[in-house]
Amino acid sequence: MTAIVDTGQQPPDTTTTFTHQRRGRWIDRWEPDNERFWKSGADRTAKKNLLFSVFAENLGFSIWVLWASVVTGMGAAGFAFLDGLGKGNPTAVSNALLLTSIPTLVGSTLRIPYTFAIPRFGGRAFTVFSAAMLLIPTLGLIYFVNQPGTPMWVFVVLAALSGFGGGNFSSSMANISFFFPDGKKGAALGINAAGGNLGVAQTQLLVPLLITLGTHLTAKDAAGYRFGITLSVLVWIPFILAAAFGALRYMDSLSTAKSDGRSYKPALTNRHTWVMAFLYIGTFGSFIGFSFAFPTLIKANFPDLANIGWITTLGNLAFLGALVGSFSRPFGGWLSDKLGGGANITIMVFGGMAVAVALIMAALEMKSFPLYLLAFLMLFVLAGIGNGSTYRMIPSIFSAESKKYASEHGMEPPEAAASAKRQAGAAIGVIGAVGAFGGFVLQQALRLSNTHFGTMAPAFWAYAVAFLVMAGVTWWFYSRTSFAVGRVPSLAYANI
């Protein structure tokens, strides 16, 4: 008989600790809110997935906004439908705005299905797929930009395919939200969102530099510009391959990542979902729409900048808009927390955006590029702050609604909080998609105004009026004493 010796040591509690499965496998047990589980290695796994998610999402945004810079060089590359863009040719300007708005439309449309793809296919597999999809519009552009006789509709199709990069945002955000505990979701998703948004600025900085480099390496003729555009697109290919390989090799999928389809019906029938979607058109829609249109607007309105070599090389400084808008976004959330909610901040943002539009119009009247640039930077900063403050309002609104419902129907407070959290998560997907679609509407308004009136002034003044209306809507629904949106930091677990 074998003696049993009591060593006084307890066997390891494998029910509350994290054991990483072989790479490429689904993780069947994931309990990030269990502190012991989180600290036993789950935190490192979550951060690793966040790292590769940021990399892939950043490239998605980069390819999504690629056309905003490429169109400014295609006229010189020999494509007649964009010839004269630098001289304000109305047809060329309208065609350029069409090519820059199509990716916005596709990207916003894909946001909702891409969110549901994570529970269906897994974060690892879908990140590989969504990154690899970026090869189609980039390789297609490299080929067709070197075929001078290519008709415009081919480039419209390629621009639409680049919209897949905009859909990557939603799948990436949905995937990362499952990895982190509630107390850390906000920071993780903020990092993920910022990494993606910065892709807009980096593309608008690098692409003009590479186009200029390409023309200097060859000649400043149509062939030289085609080579420059080819170089500016080709540079992304190795990074796309690296993102797909990195996701395949190092990312994980969670079996516990399940979509809460039941929460979508109450979220979709809640009027506040659609009120906030309307407001988000004014903030995120403005950020995306003007980010895509800004290079074209500068080139069309200030053609003399082409005589200043270093400004042209830096894309007429268009990258500064997306840059300041990306960095100001967290400030909106911080201000909202400090001042007791996002509604009052959002009202001030919309008022400031209307003033910024008036300054843009004054700059065009005075033909002052410095004032034009400063006014647009003001608009981008405010849009970024508004992105943060409107996002900050969403969980607070649904919390207030759920508390009201709970008091009327005898629901327990914990149950009400859980319901608010689920509905806010469902609403965020809808609000984000509608907000991004606003970027398409904004650019189409510019294009149609330019086509029918020969000037974009009517569209800009319409934006100013819309911003004031949005300020009024925010006050009416969320700043009056009948419905004051308070602070609910514990529910601010997602980002748009």
Side-chain angles (χ1 to χ4, degrees):
M1 180 180 293
T2 304
I4 299 176
V5 180
D6 185 359
T7 63
Q9 295 180 345
Q10 296 297 322
D13 186 358
T14 58
T15 63
T16 59
T17 56
F18 170 68
T19 302
H20 195 281
Q21 295 164 260
R22 287 184 300 170
R23 190 172 289 119
R25 297 277 299 273
W26 286 69
I27 297 177
D28 294 323
R29 189 169 65 88
W30 187 255
E31 302 171 10
D33 290 302
N34 181 326
E35 187 174 358
R36 182 170 180 177
F37 182 90
W38 179 251
K39 291 183 177 180
S40 64
D43 57 341
R44 293 191 298 272
T45 296
K47 291 173 184 176
K48 176 196 66 177
N49 279 273
L50 174 61
L51 175 65
F52 286 97
S53 174
V54 168
F55 183 37
E57 189 201 346
N58 177 274
L59 286 169
F61 265 82
S62 296
I63 303 307
W64 192 25
V65 77
L66 187 63
W67 279 90
S69 298
V70 166
V71 294
T72 61
M74 288 183 65
F79 295 95
F81 52 84
L82 288 173
D83 189 31
L85 177 62
K87 298 178 181 179
N89 182 312
T91 301
V93 172
S94 295
N95 288 338
L97 290 171
L98 175 63
L99 287 169
T100 61
S101 63
I102 289 297
T104 315
L105 174 64
V106 175
S108 62
T109 304
L110 289 176
R111 280 192 160 204
I112 292 179
Y114 266 47
T115 300
F116 287 105
I118 295 301
R120 177 66 179 85
F121 301 104
R124 170 179 170 269
F126 200 75
T127 302
V128 173
F129 166 78
S130 60
M133 280 292 293
L134 302 177
L135 292 170
I136 298 176
T138 48
L139 293 175
L141 180 55
I142 288 170
Y143 175 78
F144 284 107
V145 81
N146 287 290
Q147 311 299 318
T150 302
M152 182 175 167
W153 70 264
V154 173
F155 292 111
V156 171
V157 172
L158 291 173
L161 290 172
S162 71
F164 281 92
N168 290 7
F169 180 82
S170 287
S171 61
S172 177
M173 296 294 279
N175 184 42
I176 292 304
S177 71
F178 290 115
F179 274 96
F180 285 83
D182 282 348
K184 299 181 185 295
K185 284 187 194 293
L189 291 169
I191 292 170
N192 203 50
N197 288 349
L198 285 173
V200 178
Q202 75 188 25
T203 299
Q204 292 185 341
L205 173 62
L206 290 175
V207 169
L209 284 171
L210 292 169
I211 291 176
T212 301
L213 175 62
T215 57
H216 282 307
L217 290 175
T218 53
K220 292 185 178 181
D221 56 10
Y225 273 94
R226 289 196 293 272
F227 177 76
I229 293 173
T230 300
L231 182 64
S232 71
V233 179
L234 187 63
V235 72
W236 303 105
I237 302 299
F239 293 102
I240 294 172
L241 293 173
F245 175 78
L248 179 66
R249 184 78 170 82
Y250 297 106
M251 289 188 73
D252 306 287
S253 295
L254 302 178
S255 300
T256 54
K258 303 296 182 183
S259 60
D260 185 11
R262 291 177 300 176
S263 296
Y264 272 86
K265 183 176 180 180
L268 288 172
T269 55
N270 192 314
R271 64 175 180 171
H272 294 291
T273 298
W274 301 106
V275 173
M276 290 306 300
F278 174 66
L279 300 181
Y280 207 58
I281 287 175
T283 57
F284 187 70
S286 294
F287 171 78
I288 286 296
F290 282 122
S291 291
F292 279 64
F294 201 25
T296 295
L297 295 179
I298 292 176
K299 186 162 187 175
N301 289 314
F302 296 93
D304 291 340
L305 292 178
N307 300 324
I308 307 174
W310 68 270
I311 289 186
T312 303
T313 300
L314 293 177
N316 295 330
L317 305 179
F319 73 94
L320 290 174
L323 185 67
V324 298
S326 298
F327 279 112
S328 66
R329 179 171 184 156
F331 188 60
W334 179 83
L335 274 177
S336 299
D337 282 339
K338 290 292 182 182
L339 300 180
N344 291 334
I345 300 299
T346 302
I347 291 171
M348 290 187 285
V349 161
F350 283 131
M353 290 174 74
V355 172
V357 169
L359 291 174
I360 290 169
M361 292 291 94
L364 288 174
E365 186 69 25
M366 297 164 58
K367 301 188 185 309
S368 170
F369 176 69
L371 178 59
Y372 186 79
L373 180 62
L374 288 174
F376 253 113
L377 292 183
M378 175 182 172
L379 185 65
F380 275 109
V381 168
L382 290 169
I385 293 173
N387 287 339
S389 63
T390 50
Y391 146 68
R392 181 63 190 78
M393 291 165 62
I394 296 169
S396 300
I397 291 166
F398 280 91
S399 176
E401 286 280 279
S402 293
K403 286 179 181 177
K404 179 181 177 182
Y405 182 87
S407 66
E408 294 173 351
H409 295 81
M411 184 185 295
E412 293 296 323
E415 186 181 355
S419 174
K421 185 174 176 179
R422 289 193 300 268
Q423 287 192 49
I428 277 171
V430 176
I431 293 168
V434 174
F437 178 74
F440 169 76
V441 174
L442 182 148
Q443 293 179 79
Q444 286 301 299
L446 287 173
R447 187 179 72 86
L448 293 173
S449 176
N450 185 71
T451 300
H452 295 291
F453 299 104
T455 174
M456 299 181 198
F460 274 104
W461 287 121
Y463 301 152
V465 172
F467 293 146
L468 293 176
V469 169
M470 290 171 179
V473 169
T474 307
W475 174 82
W476 178 263
F477 282 99
Y478 306 120
S479 283
R480 295 184 301 154
T481 54
S482 61
F483 194 157
V485 178
R487 298 172 61 186
V488 193
S490 61
L491 295 181
Y493 71 97
N495 208 330
I496 303 177

PDB file of all heavy atoms in Angstrom, residues 28-50:
ATOM      1  N   ASP A  28     -11.387  28.681 -25.001  1.00  0.00           N
ATOM      2  CA  ASP A  28     -12.746  28.304 -24.614  1.00  0.00           C
ATOM      3  C   ASP A  28     -13.197  28.949 -23.309  1.00  0.00           C
ATOM      4  O   ASP A  28     -14.394  29.139 -23.095  1.00  0.00           O
ATOM      5  CB  ASP A  28     -12.847  26.785 -24.490  1.00  0.00           C
ATOM      6  CG  ASP A  28     -12.669  26.094 -25.839  1.00  0.00           C
ATOM      7  OD1 ASP A  28     -13.151  26.647 -26.843  1.00  0.00           O
ATOM      8  OD2 ASP A  28     -12.043  25.022 -25.881  1.00  0.00           O
ATOM      9  N   ARG A  29     -12.259  29.269 -22.421  1.00  0.00           N
ATOM     10  CA  ARG A  29     -12.635  29.885 -21.148  1.00  0.00           C
ATOM     11  C   ARG A  29     -11.942  31.227 -21.025  1.00  0.00           C
ATOM     12  O   ARG A  29     -10.715  31.304 -21.077  1.00  0.00           O
ATOM     13  CB  ARG A  29     -12.245  28.974 -19.973  1.00  0.00           C
ATOM     14  CG  ARG A  29     -12.805  29.457 -18.637  1.00  0.00           C
ATOM     15  CD  ARG A  29     -12.623  28.394 -17.571  1.00  0.00           C
ATOM     16  NE  ARG A  29     -11.224  28.161 -17.292  1.00  0.00           N
ATOM     17  CZ  ARG A  29     -10.503  28.826 -16.396  1.00  0.00           C
ATOM     18  NH1 ARG A  29     -11.072  29.803 -15.710  1.00  0.00           N
ATOM     19  NH2 ARG A  29      -9.238  28.548 -16.196  1.00  0.00           N
ATOM     20  N   TRP A  30     -12.742  32.278 -20.888  1.00  0.00           N
ATOM     21  CA  TRP A  30     -12.174  33.616 -20.803  1.00  0.00           C
ATOM     22  C   TRP A  30     -12.974  34.414 -19.776  1.00  0.00           C
ATOM     23  O   TRP A  30     -14.148  34.721 -19.978  1.00  0.00           O
ATOM     24  CB  TRP A  30     -12.222  34.307 -22.164  1.00  0.00           C
ATOM     25  CG  TRP A  30     -11.488  35.622 -22.174  1.00  0.00           C
ATOM     26  CD1 TRP A  30     -12.038  36.876 -22.163  1.00  0.00           C
ATOM     27  CD2 TRP A  30     -10.079  35.799 -22.174  1.00  0.00           C
ATOM     28  NE1 TRP A  30     -11.053  37.820 -22.153  1.00  0.00           N
ATOM     29  CE2 TRP A  30      -9.825  37.195 -22.170  1.00  0.00           C
ATOM     30  CE3 TRP A  30      -8.996  34.926 -22.190  1.00  0.00           C
ATOM     31  CZ2 TRP A  30      -8.550  37.727 -22.169  1.00  0.00           C
ATOM     32  CZ3 TRP A  30      -7.711  35.454 -22.196  1.00  0.00           C
ATOM     33  CH2 TRP A  30      -7.493  36.845 -22.187  1.00  0.00           C
ATOM     34  N   GLU A  31     -12.338  34.736 -18.652  1.00  0.00           N
ATOM     35  CA  GLU A  31     -13.000  35.426 -17.545  1.00  0.00           C
ATOM     36  C   GLU A  31     -12.180  36.651 -17.137  1.00  0.00           C
ATOM     37  O   GLU A  31     -11.549  36.665 -16.076  1.00  0.00           O
ATOM     38  CB  GLU A  31     -13.161  34.475 -16.354  1.00  0.00           C
ATOM     39  CG  GLU A  31     -13.940  33.216 -16.673  1.00  0.00           C
ATOM     40  CD  GLU A  31     -13.892  32.202 -15.545  1.00  0.00           C
ATOM     41  OE1 GLU A  31     -13.407  32.556 -14.446  1.00  0.00           O
ATOM     42  OE2 GLU A  31     -14.331  31.064 -15.768  1.00  0.00           O
ATOM     43  N   PRO A  32     -12.158  37.680 -17.943  1.00  0.00           N
ATOM     44  CA  PRO A  32     -11.300  38.840 -17.656  1.00  0.00           C
ATOM     45  C   PRO A  32     -11.681  39.575 -16.372  1.00  0.00           C
ATOM     46  O   PRO A  32     -10.835  40.240 -15.769  1.00  0.00           O
ATOM     47  CB  PRO A  32     -11.485  39.732 -18.882  1.00  0.00           C
ATOM     48  CG  PRO A  32     -12.800  39.320 -19.462  1.00  0.00           C
ATOM     49  CD  PRO A  32     -12.920  37.855 -19.189  1.00  0.00           C
ATOM     50  N   ASP A  33     -12.951  39.485 -15.952  1.00  0.00           N
ATOM     51  CA  ASP A  33     -13.356  40.173 -14.730  1.00  0.00           C
ATOM     52  C   ASP A  33     -12.963  39.410 -13.462  1.00  0.00           C
ATOM     53  O   ASP A  33     -13.108  39.929 -12.355  1.00  0.00           O
ATOM     54  CB  ASP A  33     -14.869  40.421 -14.738  1.00  0.00           C
ATOM     55  CG  ASP A  33     -15.262  41.465 -15.773  1.00  0.00           C
ATOM     56  OD1 ASP A  33     -14.742  42.586 -15.685  1.00  0.00           O
ATOM     57  OD2 ASP A  33     -16.062  41.143 -16.664  1.00  0.00           O
ATOM     58  N   ASN A  34     -12.478  38.176 -13.640  1.00  0.00           N
ATOM     59  CA  ASN A  34     -11.935  37.403 -12.525  1.00  0.00           C
ATOM     60  C   ASN A  34     -10.486  37.839 -12.323  1.00  0.00           C
ATOM     61  O   ASN A  34      -9.630  37.578 -13.161  1.00  0.00           O
ATOM     62  CB  ASN A  34     -12.019  35.906 -12.849  1.00  0.00           C
ATOM     63  CG  ASN A  34     -11.493  35.027 -11.740  1.00  0.00           C
ATOM     64  OD1 ASN A  34     -10.546  35.383 -11.034  1.00  0.00           O
ATOM     65  ND2 ASN A  34     -12.083  33.852 -11.602  1.00  0.00           N
ATOM     66  N   GLU A  35     -10.200  38.526 -11.220  1.00  0.00           N
ATOM     67  CA  GLU A  35      -8.884  39.138 -11.036  1.00  0.00           C
ATOM     68  C   GLU A  35      -7.759  38.122 -11.068  1.00  0.00           C
ATOM     69  O   GLU A  35      -6.704  38.374 -11.651  1.00  0.00           O
ATOM     70  CB  GLU A  35      -8.845  39.925  -9.721  1.00  0.00           C
ATOM     71  CG  GLU A  35      -7.571  40.730  -9.548  1.00  0.00           C
ATOM     72  CD  GLU A  35      -7.606  41.608  -8.320  1.00  0.00           C
ATOM     73  OE1 GLU A  35      -8.650  41.619  -7.629  1.00  0.00           O
ATOM     74  OE2 GLU A  35      -6.598  42.284  -8.035  1.00  0.00           O
ATOM     75  N   ARG A  36      -7.955  36.964 -10.446  1.00  0.00           N
ATOM     76  CA  ARG A  36      -6.905  35.945 -10.440  1.00  0.00           C
ATOM     77  C   ARG A  36      -6.653  35.416 -11.848  1.00  0.00           C
ATOM     78  O   ARG A  36      -5.521  35.232 -12.268  1.00  0.00           O
ATOM     79  CB  ARG A  36      -7.293  34.806  -9.507  1.00  0.00           C
ATOM     80  CG  ARG A  36      -6.228  33.715  -9.416  1.00  0.00           C
ATOM     81  CD  ARG A  36      -6.538  32.732  -8.321  1.00  0.00           C
ATOM     82  NE  ARG A  36      -5.515  31.696  -8.248  1.00  0.00           N
ATOM     83  CZ  ARG A  36      -5.498  30.725  -7.346  1.00  0.00           C
ATOM     84  NH1 ARG A  36      -6.445  30.688  -6.424  1.00  0.00           N
ATOM     85  NH2 ARG A  36      -4.548  29.816  -7.357  1.00  0.00           N
ATOM     86  N   PHE A  37      -7.743  35.188 -12.564  1.00  0.00           N
ATOM     87  CA  PHE A  37      -7.644  34.729 -13.952  1.00  0.00           C
ATOM     88  C   PHE A  37      -6.903  35.769 -14.796  1.00  0.00           C
ATOM     89  O   PHE A  37      -6.026  35.434 -15.605  1.00  0.00           O
ATOM     90  CB  PHE A  37      -9.053  34.502 -14.514  1.00  0.00           C
ATOM     91  CG  PHE A  37      -9.095  33.972 -15.927  1.00  0.00           C
ATOM     92  CD1 PHE A  37      -9.102  32.620 -16.184  1.00  0.00           C
ATOM     93  CD2 PHE A  37      -9.151  34.853 -17.011  1.00  0.00           C
ATOM     94  CE1 PHE A  37      -9.146  32.136 -17.487  1.00  0.00           C
ATOM     95  CE2 PHE A  37      -9.201  34.390 -18.309  1.00  0.00           C
ATOM     96  CZ  PHE A  37      -9.197  33.015 -18.546  1.00  0.00           C
ATOM     97  N   TRP A  38      -7.255  37.038 -14.606  1.00  0.00           N
ATOM     98  CA  TRP A  38      -6.670  38.129 -15.397  1.00  0.00           C
ATOM     99  C   TRP A  38      -5.162  38.237 -15.156  1.00  0.00           C
ATOM    100  O   TRP A  38      -4.382  38.378 -16.095  1.00  0.00           O
ATOM    101  CB  TRP A  38      -7.376  39.429 -15.051  1.00  0.00           C
ATOM    102  CG  TRP A  38      -6.867  40.642 -15.771  1.00  0.00           C
ATOM    103  CD1 TRP A  38      -6.148  41.668 -15.251  1.00  0.00           C
ATOM    104  CD2 TRP A  38      -7.027  40.938 -17.164  1.00  0.00           C
ATOM    105  NE1 TRP A  38      -5.861  42.596 -16.221  1.00  0.00           N
ATOM    106  CE2 TRP A  38      -6.391  42.182 -17.408  1.00  0.00           C
ATOM    107  CE3 TRP A  38      -7.658  40.288 -18.219  1.00  0.00           C
ATOM    108  CZ2 TRP A  38      -6.362  42.768 -18.669  1.00  0.00           C
ATOM    109  CZ3 TRP A  38      -7.632  40.882 -19.477  1.00  0.00           C
ATOM    110  CH2 TRP A  38      -6.990  42.096 -19.689  1.00  0.00           C
ATOM    111  N   LYS A  39      -4.756  38.139 -13.889  1.00  0.00           N
ATOM    112  CA  LYS A  39      -3.350  38.339 -13.548  1.00  0.00           C
ATOM    113  C   LYS A  39      -2.493  37.102 -13.774  1.00  0.00           C
ATOM    114  O   LYS A  39      -1.271  37.179 -13.666  1.00  0.00           O
ATOM    115  CB  LYS A  39      -3.222  38.802 -12.100  1.00  0.00           C
ATOM    116  CG  LYS A  39      -3.755  40.213 -11.862  1.00  0.00           C
ATOM    117  CD  LYS A  39      -3.545  40.660 -10.430  1.00  0.00           C
ATOM    118  CE  LYS A  39      -4.010  42.099 -10.234  1.00  0.00           C
ATOM    119  NZ  LYS A  39      -3.825  42.558  -8.829  1.00  0.00           N
ATOM    120  N   SER A  40      -3.112  35.978 -14.092  1.00  0.00           N
ATOM    121  CA  SER A  40      -2.339  34.754 -14.296  1.00  0.00           C
ATOM    122  C   SER A  40      -1.890  34.564 -15.744  1.00  0.00           C
ATOM    123  O   SER A  40      -1.455  33.482 -16.124  1.00  0.00           O
ATOM    124  CB  SER A  40      -3.161  33.538 -13.850  1.00  0.00           C
ATOM    125  OG  SER A  40      -4.320  33.392 -14.662  1.00  0.00           O
ATOM    126  N   GLY A  41      -2.003  35.609 -16.549  1.00  0.00           N
ATOM    127  CA  GLY A  41      -1.543  35.549 -17.933  1.00  0.00           C
ATOM    128  C   GLY A  41      -2.553  36.034 -18.951  1.00  0.00           C
ATOM    129  O   GLY A  41      -2.209  36.334 -20.090  1.00  0.00           O
ATOM    130  N   ALA A  42      -3.822  36.138 -18.532  1.00  0.00           N
ATOM    131  CA  ALA A  42      -4.848  36.614 -19.458  1.00  0.00           C
ATOM    132  C   ALA A  42      -4.585  38.052 -19.870  1.00  0.00           C
ATOM    133  O   ALA A  42      -4.864  38.442 -21.015  1.00  0.00           O
ATOM    134  CB  ALA A  42      -6.230  36.496 -18.822  1.00  0.00           C
ATOM    135  N   ASP A  43      -4.035  38.863 -18.941  1.00  0.00           N
ATOM    136  CA  ASP A  43      -3.747  40.262 -19.271  1.00  0.00           C
ATOM    137  C   ASP A  43      -2.723  40.360 -20.386  1.00  0.00           C
ATOM    138  O   ASP A  43      -2.843  41.194 -21.296  1.00  0.00           O
ATOM    139  CB  ASP A  43      -3.276  41.016 -18.031  1.00  0.00           C
ATOM    140  CG  ASP A  43      -2.055  40.388 -17.379  1.00  0.00           C
ATOM    141  OD1 ASP A  43      -1.767  39.204 -17.645  1.00  0.00           O
ATOM    142  OD2 ASP A  43      -1.389  41.085 -16.592  1.00  0.00           O
ATOM    143  N   ARG A  44      -1.703  39.504 -20.356  1.00  0.00           N
ATOM    144  CA  ARG A  44      -0.686  39.533 -21.418  1.00  0.00           C
ATOM    145  C   ARG A  44      -1.283  39.112 -22.755  1.00  0.00           C
ATOM    146  O   ARG A  44      -0.945  39.675 -23.804  1.00  0.00           O
ATOM    147  CB  ARG A  44       0.484  38.626 -21.046  1.00  0.00           C
ATOM    148  CG  ARG A  44       1.293  39.121 -19.854  1.00  0.00           C
ATOM    149  CD  ARG A  44       2.582  38.337 -19.697  1.00  0.00           C
ATOM    150  NE  ARG A  44       2.334  36.918 -19.430  1.00  0.00           N
ATOM    151  CZ  ARG A  44       2.161  36.405 -18.227  1.00  0.00           C
ATOM    152  NH1 ARG A  44       2.174  37.194 -17.156  1.00  0.00           N
ATOM    153  NH2 ARG A  44       1.954  35.112 -18.065  1.00  0.00           N
ATOM    154  N   THR A  45      -2.165  38.121 -22.715  1.00  0.00           N
ATOM    155  CA  THR A  45      -2.821  37.679 -23.951  1.00  0.00           C
ATOM    156  C   THR A  45      -3.704  38.784 -24.526  1.00  0.00           C
ATOM    157  O   THR A  45      -3.717  39.027 -25.737  1.00  0.00           O
ATOM    158  CB  THR A  45      -3.666  36.420 -23.674  1.00  0.00           C
ATOM    159  OG1 THR A  45      -2.800  35.357 -23.284  1.00  0.00           O
ATOM    160  CG2 THR A  45      -4.446  35.997 -24.916  1.00  0.00           C
ATOM    161  N   ALA A  46      -4.441  39.474 -23.664  1.00  0.00           N
ATOM    162  CA  ALA A  46      -5.304  40.556 -24.129  1.00  0.00           C
ATOM    163  C   ALA A  46      -4.487  41.686 -24.749  1.00  0.00           C
ATOM    164  O   ALA A  46      -4.833  42.222 -25.810  1.00  0.00           O
ATOM    165  CB  ALA A  46      -6.145  41.089 -22.965  1.00  0.00           C
ATOM    166  N   LYS A  47      -3.391  42.057 -24.091  1.00  0.00           N
ATOM    167  CA  LYS A  47      -2.546  43.140 -24.603  1.00  0.00           C
ATOM    168  C   LYS A  47      -1.877  42.752 -25.915  1.00  0.00           C
ATOM    169  O   LYS A  47      -1.703  43.595 -26.801  1.00  0.00           O
ATOM    170  CB  LYS A  47      -1.505  43.517 -23.558  1.00  0.00           C
ATOM    171  CG  LYS A  47      -2.103  44.202 -22.336  1.00  0.00           C
ATOM    172  CD  LYS A  47      -1.081  44.411 -21.234  1.00  0.00           C
ATOM    173  CE  LYS A  47      -1.731  45.015 -19.990  1.00  0.00           C
ATOM    174  NZ  LYS A  47      -0.765  45.136 -18.876  1.00  0.00           N
ATOM    175  N   LYS A  48      -1.507  41.488 -26.044  1.00  0.00           N
ATOM    176  CA  LYS A  48      -0.919  41.020 -27.305  1.00  0.00           C
ATOM    177  C   LYS A  48      -1.931  41.148 -28.436  1.00  0.00           C
ATOM    178  O   LYS A  48      -1.603  41.621 -29.530  1.00  0.00           O
ATOM    179  CB  LYS A  48      -0.486  39.560 -27.147  1.00  0.00           C
ATOM    180  CG  LYS A  48       0.050  38.916 -28.415  1.00  0.00           C
ATOM    181  CD  LYS A  48       0.088  37.401 -28.290  1.00  0.00           C
ATOM    182  CE  LYS A  48      -1.293  36.813 -28.192  1.00  0.00           C
ATOM    183  NZ  LYS A  48      -1.299  35.327 -28.146  1.00  0.00           N
ATOM    184  N   ASN A  49      -3.167  40.734 -28.191  1.00  0.00           N
ATOM    185  CA  ASN A  49      -4.203  40.856 -29.216  1.00  0.00           C
ATOM    186  C   ASN A  49      -4.496  42.313 -29.531  1.00  0.00           C
ATOM    187  O   ASN A  49      -4.768  42.658 -30.687  1.00  0.00           O
ATOM    188  CB  ASN A  49      -5.470  40.127 -28.766  1.00  0.00           C
ATOM    189  CG  ASN A  49      -5.405  38.630 -28.993  1.00  0.00           C
ATOM    190  OD1 ASN A  49      -5.746  38.142 -30.060  1.00  0.00           O
ATOM    191  ND2 ASN A  49      -4.941  37.906 -27.985  1.00  0.00           N
ATOM    192  N   LEU A  50      -4.454  43.176 -28.509  1.00  0.00           N
ATOM    193  CA  LEU A  50      -4.659  44.609 -28.739  1.00  0.00           C
ATOM    194  C   LEU A  50      -3.567  45.166 -29.647  1.00  0.00           C
ATOM    195  O   LEU A  50      -3.854  45.958 -30.566  1.00  0.00           O
ATOM    196  CB  LEU A  50      -4.668  45.352 -27.407  1.00  0.00           C
ATOM    197  CG  LEU A  50      -4.738  46.881 -27.477  1.00  0.00           C
ATOM    198  CD1 LEU A  50      -6.012  47.345 -28.178  1.00  0.00           C
ATOM    199  CD2 LEU A  50      -4.643  47.491 -26.074  1.00  0.00           C
TER     200      LEU A  50
END
